Amino acid sequence: MKKKILIHDIAKHLGVSIATVSLVLNGKAREKRISDTLAEKVLKYVDEVGYKPNQLAKSLRTGKTHVIGLVVEDIANPFFATIAALIERKALARGYRILYCSTNNDTTKALDLLAMFEEQHVDGYILALPNGVEAEVSALVRRSKPLVLFDRVLPGVLTNTVVVDGVAGTYVATQHLLAQGFTTIALIITQLEQTQMAARQQGYAQALREHNQPELVQEIAFPQEPEQIVLAMQRFFEAHPTCDAVLFATNYLGVSGLEALGRLGRRIPEQIAVVSFDDNDLFRLYSPPVTVVAQPMETLAESIIGALLNELERPGTTDALVQIQLTPQLVVRQSSIRPVAL
Amino acid sequence: MKKKILIHDIAKHLGVSIATVSLVLNGKAREKRISDTLAEKVLKYVDEVGYKPNQLAKSLRTGKTHVIGLVVEDIANPFFATIAALIERKALARGYRILYCSTNNDTTKALDLLAMFEEQHVDGYILALPNGVEAEVSALVRRSKPLVLFDRVLPGVLTNTVVVDGVAGTYVATQHLLAQGFTTIALIITQLEQTQMAARQQGYAQALREHNQPELVQEIAFPQEPEQIVLAMQRFFEAHPTCDAVLFATNYLGVSGLEALGRLGRRIPEQIAVVSFDDNDLFRLYSPPVTVVAQPMETLAESIIGALLNELERPGTTDALVQIQLTPQLVVRQSSIRPVAL
DNA sequence: CTGAAAGCGCTTACAG
DNA sequence: CTGAAAGCGCTTACAG
């Protein structure tokens, strides 16, 4: 068990001062007029003995941890898992680590996580939060903490945001269903109080309004076992036998929806057409393949990390907010194509 | 913007010493014979002003960060995403945060991550690693770092492990296929050098050997685009038209396999029976539903975090290693049932 | 219980 | 460039 080597040991061995070693390691050799020869000697020896500065001490002194706090709704949700994987890779490439947590849409848990991240002195925040935490996030903004909200924003909180245009997404999807000739189009949605869901409802409502068609919206309460969600949907479809198309507002509703329709023995798209927000393996490989409103995952992740790094590495200036809205893409598959033979 | 409050401010305001405040906050009031009245006064005021000790300073002093480093193969893989979600929840409940990273099965990246975690002074490690990092992990073990390997272990590294019995998993699955009367059973697998994959191959080989059936194993190189994997499988199935059953050794191989069989127009299970390791929504809802070897996710997560906390909170004693092997469960669905009418 | 102090391992302004 | 020192914000042994 080798003893932990300290900056002091480096300095002593090389016969230079601690300050010299520290300055060289922090790239301030030139600035502080340390000769290149000496700087190289230091770097060479540091590399040789594998000296790594104690990050805790460094962080305590500088106030920087190079850790980013990532809050998602649920890391087991494919949308968030994919985004997390992409963000992690991009952050790591820029020298930042990710401390992550899931809120499971619980406001209390979200507040705890924000407090915890603060205690850990994360350098920046990437957040997909439930409502009810506006005051705390505003406080972070006020204190100029680097921060990006994604997926959904918070009413009244003015900060950096990266979202996907939910209105356009469901508008286009609903138009598509109408164009196919479906007449009774249901929207199954959850957490309407969240901005991304409100947007998805709006796009749906707008398209129907333009065609003078009535809305048929079923909201499903969120924190529930999948089985409960499936049962709720079974009840809904049984109560609405004339419904000939359905739009699921998010991936896990789509999955539960397919399960519910399967149990009821409804044939897709002959008896009911299906479209879901978010793409994944299941929708692509299902029989029939499911039409989806796909979010641009790569661009989303790139925009999020870009916006945050912009804040993290700004030279302390007052810069404009970054507010990005990306456009989702309708991927038409068989589940929403009206059969030719009626 | 409120000024950060320090332990010194608390002490001054209450007219007590810093030591008193610190001892009370660390639950050493009784031990240090501080009166309950005073202790309560301190706690009350601390709560009132919302004082939170600076964790960096605390960590620098105590050497404890209450952060656990979690290394997975890929957080976007449903198996790892699910495990991560469960571990995170259980760790948080015990006061630990999770710093996570994906290796994508890249040995160099894995080494970087281990170094990074060490720099961050994580208290403990939960690791699913690629091969080639045995020396570094052994070094951690030698230095008594709390550590648990899961999913796969490392040859020659003696430490805490939590794995699922891969031999039993594929043995039972293969037996099932044989019992159904399938004769040419292929195994599609990857990374045979990893212990969990080697075990899965073993179980398959053993079952076939007992029935004097030949093996038909196709290994797929891992770090590949999904599309490349699908194409490789298409080639395999075309090259082996007599193959009437296939066992996929892990979830993403199963997903790609369904895609490949779909493109080739092979009917399941009429033309080919399918079983995959790992369960997920896709396998459950696919037409036909796919038979799987399901890992006990909850128990797995519970065992992992339990083993680690056991190390983290032991009173510095020499305790026995924890080596847990859980049994997977064969969930028989339609994809592997031989059609009655031939 | 208090008070003063050392120490965790760094960074950095300062005088020379 | 060096050397001595302060300071980041804690914890804890020590003398009283």
Side-chain angles (χ1 to χ4, degrees), chain A residues 37-89:
Chain A
T37 336
L38 181 52
E40 269 169 41
K41 199 169 87 180
V42 170
L43 290 174
K44 181 161 172 295
Y45 184 66
V46 161
D47 188 53
E48 210 174 296
V49 298
Y51 166 68
K52 304 273 183 209
N54 181 317
Q55 293 301 318
L56 289 174
K58 198 166 176 167
S59 296
L60 179 59
R61 189 56 235 253
T62 63
K64 298 283 160 226
T65 54
H66 276 80
V67 171
I68 292 171
L70 171 63
V71 174
V72 297
E73 183 175 297
D74 178 9
I75 196 74
N77 174 326
F79 169 72
F80 288 109
T82 303
I83 277 293
L86 293 169
I87 286 177
E88 181 215 327
R89 184 165 353 138

Side-chain angles (χ1 to χ4, degrees), chain A residues 16-17 20 32 34-35 38 60-61:
Chain A
V16 303
S17 81
T20 306
K32 293 293 179 180
I34 291 170
S35 74
L38 181 52
L60 179 59
R61 189 56 235 253

